[in-house]
Amino acid sequence: MLEQAQWHCSSLVITADLDEAKKLEHHQKASHWRNRLAATLATMQAYAETKDLARARGGRAGPELANLKAYCASQPFPLLAEGKVVVSEGQTASSSPRGKAQRTLPVPEHIDPSGKAVMLEHIRIGDGAPPAPRLHYLDDTDRSGTVVIGFFGDHLYNAGTN
């Protein structure tokens, strides 16, 4: 699905290691996760396009376009529930060397010359017990007009996996 999104979602930049995503394909919940991933990608694309259109019309992006979570909350029938969008990580994941290293993910050099950025924003693709897949992203819609997807796979290190 991520490979297809690279071709069809012009506002999404996918730098995620596709091999990490493939590890989830044979899990018993894989079809559920694919559906949530499809809804996530469609929502991210619509969010970026809507924000771009608001600016193209000479206006500012309002509070409903402040971030992906706000966008989901503003939709009357959202494909992606607002509760699945996490705009920051807990203290352990965001400040520990291991947690921060795992969330430092590839981005195009026009976004960061180092080719990497910390991605604390994520979507809960899976719920509950491991592998509880997550999609980590960087919302760069205010600068480049894109959302960079840097990771999709098993839940990364946090206080619960300490």
Side-chain angles (χ1 to χ4, degrees):
M1 191 163 299
L2 289 173
E3 290 172 316
Q4 291 176 359
Q6 291 179 100
W7 296 102
H8 300 290
C9 298
S10 60
S11 297
L12 304 183
V13 175
I14 300 168
T15 62
D17 179 353
L18 299 181
D19 289 336
E20 283 296 317
K22 289 177 184 173
K23 292 178 185 177
L24 300 169
E25 288 181 356
H26 301 293
H27 195 279
Q28 67 185 19
K29 294 183 177 180
S31 64
H32 172 71
W33 296 336
R34 274 191 293 276
N35 289 338
R36 186 164 292 158
L37 178 59
T40 297
L41 296 171
T43 300
M44 289 176 150
Q45 177 68 25
Y47 160 68
E49 287 177 352
T50 303
K51 198 168 190 176
D52 187 51
L53 184 59
R55 289 196 177 111
R57 291 182 173 159
R60 290 183 21 149
E64 72 281 359
L65 294 170
N67 58 42
L68 185 63
K69 187 176 188 81
Y71 175 76
C72 291
S74 74
Q75 299 303 297
F77 302 104
L79 291 175
L80 176 62
E82 164 192 8
K84 298 297 179 192
V85 182
V86 180
V87 294
S88 187
E89 287 279 14
Q91 187 66 25
T92 301
S94 62
S95 64
S96 75
R98 181 179 174 189
K100 194 169 182 179
Q102 284 186 341
R103 289 159 179 81
T104 301
L105 299 162
V107 297
E109 289 183 2
H110 71 273
I111 291 175
D112 190 303
S114 72
K116 294 189 180 278
V118 177
M119 297 188 194
L120 301 178
E121 293 177 289
H122 63 277
I123 308 296
R124 294 180 180 121
I125 300 294
D127 301 314
R134 300 295 189 255
L135 181 143
H136 285 261
Y137 68 95
L138 176 71
D139 181 350
D140 198 54
T141 54
D142 288 333
R143 291 184 342 121
S144 68
T146 61
V147 176
V148 181
I149 297 169
F151 177 82
F152 175 64
D154 290 3
H155 195 295
L156 298 174
Y157 172 80
N158 67 15
T161 59
N162 200 354

